[in-house]
Amino acid sequence: MITIDYQSRAPLYEQIVEKFQMLILTGALPPGSQMPSVRSLALELSINPNTIQKAFALLEQQGYIFPIKGKGSFVAENDRLIIQKRENCLLKLEALLRHAREIGVPKADCTALLTRIYHQEVAL
Amino acid sequence: MITIDYQSRAPLYEQIVEKFQMLILTGALPPGSQMPSVRSLALELSINPNTIQKAFALLEQQGYIFPIKGKGSFVAENDRLIIQKRENCLLKLEALLRHAREIGVPKADCTALLTRIYHQEVAL
Amino acid sequence: MITIDYQSRAPLYEQIVEKFQMLILTGALPPGSQMPSVRSLALELSINPNTIQKAFALLEQQGYIFPIKGKGSFVAENDRLIIQKRENCLLKLEALLRHAREIGVPKADCTALLTRIYHQEVAL
Amino acid sequence: MITIDYQSRAPLYEQIVEKFQMLILTGALPPGSQMPSVRSLALELSINPNTIQKAFALLEQQGYIFPIKGKGSFVAENDRLIIQKRENCLLKLEALLRHAREIGVPKADCTALLTRIYHQEVAL
DNA sequence: GTGGTCTAGACCACA
DNA sequence: GTGGTCTAGACCACA
């Protein structure tokens, strides 16, 4: 269901959070569906349950999931979340583009990249 | 010469490295010019000399500067560095754009952002 | 007869207890009337009978209901209970108001709120 | 600096968060001042450093404090926080007052309580 | 079974 | 010294 990159500098719990954010925002885990349990995920990934717990606590705090005591965690409604996430992404993009301009990356290179990547979307 | 953002998540030595990379790549510190000494910079920024030392070691390792014993550090030739830096920036851009596409950021938003930011360049 | 909020942080048994307290104190379930059976309520709410059982045990312990063997549970006399409940509510209110004052909530805001809410009572 | 109520049902980390929120919002810990270190606080309260760490992580996430790597945690600016906190308190008050009205607590009792508590403010 | 809290203790980057 | 991450393992309330 999820893969961990042990080479990455990002901490395990952060990777887990981001993976589930994607699964939820893309609809792979639709609102109302049950999350894997903390323990089962810990076993599957060979990661300490505490680390999974931390990731789930963050997901809950961000509004992605909600726990039902004794039953498990479930995916929440997420209309606002996807909008927030996109705005956030555009902010990062802005910062990176400014930096690109600053160090002399030609506009044409950025445009080409943009076209190439979004062209693939059509292809899909 | 350099300003530090203490609220930033980035460690001090990393901020210092990036600031000098920019100063060197933009030509503010041209090849052959002398770097400020570790001690003077430490004093000026009220930062532990060890931290400055670490930043300089990284800059040397990346080929931005080179030390001359008993004289200090000097800015190296950097034709390749700027190219590397730009390629690296494009790689990051590619990853970010892929992510943007994945979470449904419209192509138009990216294009608009790109145009806006590079337009400012002309204005400058 | 009763609705459960699955998104609430409060455990199911606690929600059930509070709902019945209200039904009893407001007279919707008058003294002497029969409580729904544990089994029927469990079915109706799709909740584990153990959970209902726990709620009923608490209601009995607090004096809201009493069991008759082989017949079921019945609503008790509750003159004292309503008084207790009100006193308890005032204690909570006192703590909250102290906190409000402490963090600088203006007295006027509290008064306005009080007037607004109790005005609705008259309207009803 | 802080006291823990071991009788309370509230988890330790939550108590710590709330205590520091108060210290910060009341100005006892002004913006820019240094927080006690995770380890020192753990020793002082005889609580596991992990628990303190969890509390600090929450305070950071809520914007009360920010960490400087290798130096410690510091109190952030908090103009918006106090406003948020007050609004939150009024929301709780509204819910409690509705409940009070619902179970028949007389308006006069609430008014008297309000007057009594806010009168003490003047006395102080 | 479920999620949540806490301790003990190790190890890391950073200053 | 500082904060941050992670593991191992215990214990709790809840369903």
Side-chain angles (χ1 to χ4, degrees):
Chain A
M1 187 166 214
I2 263 191
T3 56
I4 294 298
D5 176 6
Y6 284 97
Q7 309 296 328
S8 164
R9 298 172 62 184
L12 299 182
Y13 78 90
E14 211 170 285
Q15 292 187 43
I16 297 167
V17 165
E18 289 199 352
K19 289 285 169 58
F20 274 106
Q21 284 180 343
M22 287 306 296
L23 287 175
I24 291 171
L25 291 182
T26 60
L29 281 172
S33 60
Q34 183 159 11
M35 294 281 286
S37 83
V38 169
R39 280 166 173 80
S40 68
L41 201 57
L43 269 175
E44 191 186 321
L45 300 177
S46 305
I47 283 181
N48 190 292
N50 283 333
T51 303
I52 310 285
Q53 177 70 36
K54 186 170 183 175
F56 275 36
L58 282 171
L59 285 168
E60 184 196 345
Q61 214 170 349
Q62 294 167 4
Y64 284 87
I65 65 177
F66 61 92
I68 297 184
K69 313 214 163 179
K71 286 209 158 180
S73 290
F74 297 81
V75 176
E77 294 295 335
N78 47 39
D79 300 341
R80 291 181 196 157
L81 291 173
I82 182 72
I83 293 171
Q84 271 180 26
K85 190 91 176 167
R86 281 177 194 156
E87 281 171 0
N88 200 276
C89 183
L90 276 170
L91 281 177
K92 279 189 200 160
L93 198 55
E94 181 169 352
L96 190 51
L97 281 173
R98 274 188 207 290
H99 183 244
R101 195 197 61 188
E102 222 175 339
I103 64 174
V105 174
K107 182 180 180 181
D109 286 12
C110 296
T111 310
L113 191 61
L114 180 60
T115 307
R116 178 158 64 79
I117 285 170
Y118 269 89
H119 180 66
Q120 293 171 0
E121 186 182 32
V122 180
L124 296 176
Chain B
M1 185 167 216
I2 265 189
T3 57
I4 295 297
D5 176 6
Y6 281 100
Q7 307 236 1
S8 163
R9 293 186 156 198
L12 295 185
Y13 82 93
E14 209 171 289
Q15 290 187 44
I16 297 168
V17 165
E18 290 206 349
K19 288 286 168 58
F20 274 107
Q21 285 180 343
M22 288 304 297
L23 287 175
I24 292 172
L25 291 181
T26 59
L29 281 172
S33 61
Q34 182 159 14
M35 293 283 286
S37 79
V38 169
R39 247 185 279 171
S40 68
L41 204 55
L43 269 175
E44 191 186 321
L45 300 177
S46 306
I47 280 181
N48 192 309
N50 290 332
T51 306
I52 310 284
Q53 188 62 52
K54 183 166 185 177
F56 275 38
L58 278 171
L59 285 168
E60 187 192 337
Q61 193 186 318
Q62 294 167 2
Y64 284 86
I65 63 177
F66 60 92
I68 297 184
K69 297 199 176 180
K71 284 205 157 184
S73 291
F74 295 83
V75 177
E77 292 295 335
N78 48 40
D79 300 343
R80 290 180 198 156
L81 291 174
I82 183 74
I83 292 171
Q84 269 179 27
K85 190 89 176 169
R86 282 176 193 154
E87 280 171 358
N88 199 276
C89 183
L90 276 170
L91 281 178
K92 279 188 201 162
L93 199 54
E94 181 168 353
L96 191 51
L97 282 173
R98 276 190 204 288
H99 184 246
R101 195 197 61 188
E102 219 175 340
I103 64 174
V105 175
K107 183 181 180 181
D109 287 11
C110 298
T111 310
L113 192 62
L114 181 59
T115 306
R116 179 157 64 80
I117 285 170
Y118 269 88
H119 180 66
Q120 294 170 1
E121 187 181 32
V122 181
L124 294 175
Chain C
M1 186 166 213
I2 264 189
T3 56
I4 295 298
D5 177 5
Y6 281 99
Q7 307 237 2
S8 163
R9 293 186 155 199
L12 295 185
Y13 81 93
E14 208 171 288
Q15 290 187 44
I16 297 168
V17 165
E18 290 206 350
K19 288 287 169 56
F20 275 107
Q21 285 181 344
M22 288 304 296
L23 288 175
I24 292 171
L25 292 181
T26 59
L29 282 172
S33 61
Q34 182 159 12
M35 292 283 287
S37 79
V38 169
R39 248 185 279 170
S40 67
L41 205 55
L43 269 174
E44 191 186 321
L45 300 177
S46 307
I47 280 182
N48 192 309
N50 291 331
T51 306
I52 310 285
Q53 188 63 51
K54 184 166 184 177
F56 276 37
L58 278 172
L59 285 169
E60 186 192 338
Q61 194 186 319
Q62 294 167 3
Y64 283 87
I65 63 178
F66 60 93
I68 297 184
K69 297 201 176 181
K71 284 205 156 184
S73 291
F74 296 82
V75 177
E77 291 296 335
N78 48 41
D79 299 342
R80 290 180 199 157
L81 291 174
I82 182 73
I83 293 170
Q84 269 180 27
K85 189 89 176 169
R86 282 177 193 154
E87 279 172 0
N88 199 275
C89 183
L90 276 170
L91 281 177
K92 279 189 201 160
L93 197 54
E94 180 168 353
L96 191 50
L97 282 173
R98 277 189 205 287
H99 184 246
R101 196 197 60 189
E102 219 175 341
I103 65 175
V105 175
K107 183 181 180 181
D109 287 11
C110 297
T111 310
L113 192 62
L114 181 59
T115 307
R116 179 158 65 78
I117 284 170
Y118 270 88
H119 179 67
Q120 295 170 359
E121 188 181 31
V122 180
L124 295 175
Chain D
M1 186 165 215
I2 265 193
T3 56
I4 295 297
D5 176 6
Y6 283 97
Q7 308 297 329
S8 165
R9 298 172 62 183
L12 299 182
Y13 78 90
E14 210 170 285
Q15 291 187 44
I16 297 167
V17 164
E18 290 199 352
K19 288 286 169 58
F20 274 106
Q21 284 180 341
M22 286 306 296
L23 287 174
I24 291 172
L25 291 182
T26 59
L29 281 173
S33 61
Q34 184 159 10
M35 294 280 288
S37 83
V38 170
R39 281 167 174 79
S40 68
L41 201 58
L43 268 175
E44 192 185 322
L45 301 177
S46 304
I47 283 181
N48 190 291
N50 282 334
T51 303
I52 310 285
Q53 177 68 36
K54 187 170 182 175
F56 275 36
L58 281 172
L59 285 169
E60 185 196 345
Q61 214 171 347
Q62 294 167 5
Y64 284 87
I65 65 176
F66 61 92
I68 296 182
K69 315 215 164 177
K71 286 209 157 182
S73 291
F74 297 82
V75 176
E77 293 295 337
N78 48 39
D79 300 342
R80 290 181 197 157
L81 291 174
I82 182 73
I83 294 171
Q84 270 180 26
K85 191 89 176 169
R86 281 177 194 155
E87 281 172 359
N88 200 276
C89 183
L90 276 170
L91 282 177
K92 278 188 201 161
L93 198 55
E94 181 169 352
L96 190 51
L97 281 173
R98 275 188 205 289
H99 184 244
R101 195 197 62 187
E102 220 174 340
I103 64 174
V105 174
K107 184 181 179 181
D109 286 12
C110 297
T111 309
L113 192 61
L114 180 58
T115 306
R116 178 158 64 78
I117 284 170
Y118 269 89
H119 180 66
Q120 294 170 1
E121 187 182 30
V122 180
L124 295 175

